[in-house]
Every structure is written in structure tokens, then in C-alpha cells.
Amino acid sequence: MKVAEACGGVGFRCERPDEVRPALEAAFNSPKPALVEAVVDPFEAPLPPRVSAKQALHMAEALARGEPNRGRIALTLFRNKVKELWR
């Protein structure tokens, strides 16, 4: 936030999903340059919405090689898949 202000812009911060739309609307409607900071789960795997078999294999290989937080990342992936199946 301070970086945006120091550069003459405005900053917005989102900590919950319901804060994203208002922050983006305010940023797009601002006459100044805007920065939107989104706080995310540090253990969320950096994957696109649709994952190919090759991408999944590479993620598994990376986790197996020794990613420091591999247990938490794997747990997050599992939870996301369970939530997806129960929708």
C-alpha cells in the first residue's frame, strides 16, 4: 500500500474473497495508478485452473524432490479436490 502511495498511486488490500470485487472496482475507477494486494494461502499450489497430466506429473516430481512445504501443499491440493467434488 505504501509503495503505491509513494509512487503517486493508490493501494487496495484484499484478505477475503468478498473483498476482491470492491477492491478491483475501486482500482479500475481510480484516476491514479492503482495496486491491488491480494493475501493468498502460501501453501496453495501454483497451478492453472485446468491441469494436464504432464503438469500434474511435474508437480508431483517437484514435491517428491523435496519442496520444503510439500506436506502442506499436498494437503491443500487434496482439500481443493474434495471441495471440487462436493460442489
Side-chain angles (χ1 to χ4, degrees), residues 42-43 46 59-74:
F43 302 111
M59 174 59 92
E61 289 171 348
L63 293 175
R65 274 195 304 266
E67 165 63 38
N69 297 305
R70 64 184 169 268
R72 294 287 305 267
I73 293 170

Side-chain angles (χ1 to χ4, degrees), residues 10-75:
V10 292
F12 304 93
R13 181 179 171 96
C14 309
E15 293 189 22
R16 297 185 327 267
D18 62 324
E19 296 174 335
V20 174
R21 182 178 295 273
L24 289 176
E25 288 174 349
F28 285 127
N29 292 326
S30 172
K32 296 180 177 183
L35 177 74
V36 176
E37 177 183 9
V39 178
V40 297
D41 181 353
F43 302 111
E44 185 71 38
L47 295 172
R50 295 183 184 182
V51 179
S52 69
K54 184 177 179 180
Q55 289 170 315
L57 176 64
H58 287 301
M59 174 59 92
E61 289 171 348
L63 293 175
R65 274 195 304 266
E67 165 63 38
N69 297 305
R70 64 184 169 268
R72 294 287 305 267
I73 293 170
L75 181 60

